[in-house]
Amino acid sequence: MKKRIMAMLLTFFICLMMLPPKDSASALVFTPNCTVTSEAAVLLNMDIGEIVYEKNADMKEFPAALAQVMTAVIVIENYPKISEEKITAKAELFAPLANYENQTDLRYAEIDAEDTLTVEDLLYAMMLTSSCEASLMLADHFGGGSEEAFVEKMNAKAVELGMTATRFTNATGLYSARQVTTARDMMTLLKYAMTVSQFEAISCANSYTPANAESLGKKEDWSWEHSNPMSDSKSEYFSTGVRGIKTGNLQESGRNICCKASRDGNNYLLVCMNAPMYDDEGNSRFYHLEDAAGIIDWAFTHLTYQKLLGENDEIDEVQVANADGNDFVLVKPEKEYSCIWCDTADMDSIQRIVTIDENVQAPVKVGDKLGTISLKLSGETLAEVNLIAATAVERSLWKYNLSLIPGFFGSVALSRSVKIALVLTLVYTAACIFFFVRYKMERKRRRQAARKEQR
């Protein structure tokens, strides 16, 4: 046990070190114009991979049957022959369900002891109906006869994905005080699951019937419909472009849903958690479906991809020293910046902070970096883009030479040269004086000697 704990901790720290550094650009998060009763929610635009709406995204919640998303990921990712491998139900697996406190939490796919189904059949049963039987059979089979061993794989995968606030204790999603997650972690899992082969096809199917259902006399019992009615055109909760993926309810924590929505080439993933089970009068109400419909309709109506900074936008004029002709150059962004924007938000609230390099000297070539522009909203940096020269400026030779004069007289080299020249001048002057005095003395001595000889 200690070795397993140490291995999990080691994996966790390795994953932390491998996480990419955060970009300086901050994702824009907007608020829907609808009431969201779910305690937590996260909406992610799949096309750019950014969260565009969140509510209590890091609040601890119970995943309920959303935990089965991880169960499906572990099975599909590690055991790819899901259509070939078969599992036979064992009565002892289902026995504990009879003692579960809140029986209304249980979801069944009418799988009985000794029924044999393929792994693929069980995945459909689990993802469409939240089948407790299917998830227990999968966990037992691929956990080597131990659900606990399978759950260890679930937790190891959560660590690998960076789901730092998540802990799984069972594969079904049934209530456990220690089985917790957050809407943000569930979005991390959902985003990853969509990249796993066959996951989307299974989790977004409207219905499914195993191939052997008729031969076993179970065609009616095993005609499984997806528990998310938003993709059913006959349902009052139908929402254009919405598909599957998972619902999950617990009396302890309310209703959960995660789904995919696509319209007009735009794609979103949504997670809503802990919506009330009942209205103020105690009547059952599907607030999670109302929340999902409201958020999705708002996103498709009001969120669009907007260009906030154009590649050819003329941002500023930069003074250029020693230029031949025009002594300024136009600067523009090195690249454009676009993002998801809500049409009810004021684009004028975005600050453009321009920083230009000091003392720009000619020559300047087209594409030379001359500064930066930062886009900020409410103090948060959305993007920082280099500013480059849009035009070229040649150097004026005579201006350049003139500019060197003040610098020449104030240069260290000149100062040193002057000092050296002064020292040499003093040495030369002293030498001249020395030899002049010596010459005078020698001449005087010769005159005196000549006079003595004449006497």
Side-chain angles (χ1 to χ4, degrees):
M1 187 63 182
K2 290 183 177 179
K3 290 183 178 179
R4 288 176 180 172
I5 293 173
M6 291 300 294
M8 290 181 66
L9 288 173
L10 180 60
T11 303
F12 172 73
F13 287 116
I14 291 174
C15 290
L16 281 180
M17 289 187 289
M18 292 177 66
L19 287 175
K22 289 186 177 180
D23 195 345
S24 59
S26 175
L28 289 171
V29 178
F30 301 99
T31 302
N33 55 3
C34 59
T35 301
V36 178
T37 57
S38 296
E39 189 170 65
V42 172
L43 179 68
L44 179 136
N45 183 287
M46 297 179 68
D47 306 310
I48 61 173
E50 289 185 358
I51 292 173
V52 294
Y53 164 66
E54 62 180 57
K55 175 186 177 182
N56 297 329
D58 300 306
M59 181 176 289
K60 291 290 182 68
E61 306 286 356
F62 297 113
L66 299 193
Q68 293 173 342
V69 173
M70 180 63 89
T71 302
V73 166
I74 298 300
V75 172
I76 298 172
E77 199 169 47
N78 293 284
Y79 313 99
K81 295 182 179 180
I82 60 174
S83 62
E84 300 176 16
E85 195 163 354
K86 296 181 179 180
I87 303 175
T88 299
K90 297 182 289 189
E92 59 267 26
L93 282 180
F94 306 152
L97 298 178
N99 299 319
Y100 182 74
E101 183 176 354
N102 290 313
Q103 289 290 308
T104 55
D105 289 347
L106 301 176
R107 295 292 181 270
Y108 294 106
E110 305 304 325
I111 301 173
D112 301 317
E114 303 307 319
D115 283 341
T116 299
L117 294 158
T118 66
V119 172
E120 184 177 29
D121 294 337
L122 293 172
L123 286 167
Y124 274 102
M126 181 178 68
M127 294 304 295
L128 271 59
T129 74
S130 299
S131 166
C132 295
E133 314 104 312
S135 53
L136 286 172
M137 291 169 67
L138 291 169
D140 177 76
H141 183 76
F142 294 110
S146 168
E147 183 183 8
E148 289 77 11
F150 186 85
V151 170
E152 286 185 10
K153 297 178 182 180
M154 296 172 66
N155 284 317
K157 190 66 179 181
V159 170
E160 179 186 328
L161 296 178
M163 300 168 62
T164 56
T166 297
R167 174 69 181 176
F168 294 110
T169 60
N170 61 60
T172 59
L174 293 179
Y175 174 74
S176 167
R178 296 185 298 112
Q179 179 153 268
V180 293
T181 188
T182 64
R184 192 185 306 280
D185 274 6
M186 286 309 303
M187 180 57 75
T188 298
L189 172 60
L190 184 59
K191 183 180 176 183
Y192 176 79
M194 298 298 284
T195 68
V196 176
S197 175
Q198 302 182 74
F199 175 84
E200 183 175 355
I202 293 172
S203 63
C204 291
N206 289 330
S207 62
Y208 180 82
T209 301
N212 64 340
E214 188 170 3
S215 64
L216 295 175
K218 289 199 169 189
K219 187 172 182 180
E220 185 175 343
D221 288 340
W222 285 0
S223 292
W224 301 314
E225 302 290 331
H226 205 296
S227 58
N228 180 6
M230 297 180 72
S231 57
D232 182 358
S233 59
K234 298 178 182 178
S235 170
E236 63 176 301
Y237 297 103
F238 173 72
S239 182
T240 303
V242 176
R243 299 178 66 197
I245 293 171
K246 198 80 197 70
T247 63
N249 308 323
L250 287 177
Q251 290 294 325
E252 289 282 347
S253 64
R255 304 185 192 275
N256 300 339
I257 185 173
C258 54
C259 60
K260 179 184 178 181
S262 302
R263 293 180 195 171
D264 302 322
N266 299 305
N267 302 280
Y268 287 92
L269 290 175
L270 174 65
V271 173
C272 292
M273 303 191 74
N274 197 3
M277 297 279 285
Y278 308 98
D279 62 19
D280 294 337
E281 297 177 356
N283 300 312
S284 180
R285 184 168 172 178
F286 301 115
Y287 284 107
H288 63 317
L289 300 179
E290 296 175 19
D291 288 347
I295 294 170
I296 288 168
D297 286 342
W298 163 78
F300 286 124
T301 302
H302 295 286
L303 300 184
T304 55
Y305 204 56
Q306 294 289 333
K307 185 190 294 183
L308 300 186
L309 193 63
E311 191 174 356
N312 293 316
D313 291 352
E314 293 182 356
I315 302 300
D316 202 355
E317 291 182 355
V318 177
Q319 194 75 28
V320 181
N322 305 319
D324 185 12
N326 291 332
D327 59 353
F328 66 88
V329 62
L330 295 173
V331 292
K332 65 175 186 176
E334 187 176 35
K335 58 184 179 182
E336 71 175 37
Y337 174 75
S338 300
C339 68
I340 296 293
W341 186 259
C342 184
D343 61 10
T344 59
D346 184 8
M347 203 169 285
D348 291 337
S349 60
I350 298 176
Q351 291 180 288
R352 291 188 170 198
I353 300 176
V354 176
T355 304
I356 300 299
D357 296 344
E358 296 182 0
N359 192 26
V360 177
Q361 296 279 337
V364 175
K365 298 178 182 178
V366 173
D368 283 353
K369 177 182 175 297
L370 300 179
T372 60
I373 180 170
S374 296
L375 301 182
K376 292 192 174 186
L377 182 65
S378 301
E380 294 293 327
T381 300
L382 305 180
E384 185 171 285
V385 180
N386 289 335
L387 291 176
I388 60 174
T391 54
V393 175
E394 297 298 327
R395 175 188 287 172
S396 169
L397 188 59
W398 71 270
K399 287 183 180 179
Y400 175 71
N401 289 333
L402 284 175
S403 70
L404 294 178
I405 294 174
F408 173 75
F409 284 108
S411 67
V412 175
L414 178 61
S415 176
R416 289 177 179 173
S417 298
V418 170
K419 289 178 180 178
I420 292 172
L422 182 60
V423 170
L424 292 175
T425 300
L426 291 174
V427 170
Y428 175 75
T429 302
C432 289
I433 293 173
F434 171 76
F435 285 111
F436 178 76
V437 171
R438 185 176 178 180
Y439 168 75
K440 284 288 188 179
M441 291 178 65
E442 182 65 22
R443 186 175 178 184
K444 183 178 180 180
R445 186 184 64 76
R446 288 178 180 176
R447 285 178 179 176
Q448 290 177 348
R451 287 175 185 171
K452 287 181 180 181
E453 288 179 1
Q454 289 177 358
R455 291 176 186 173

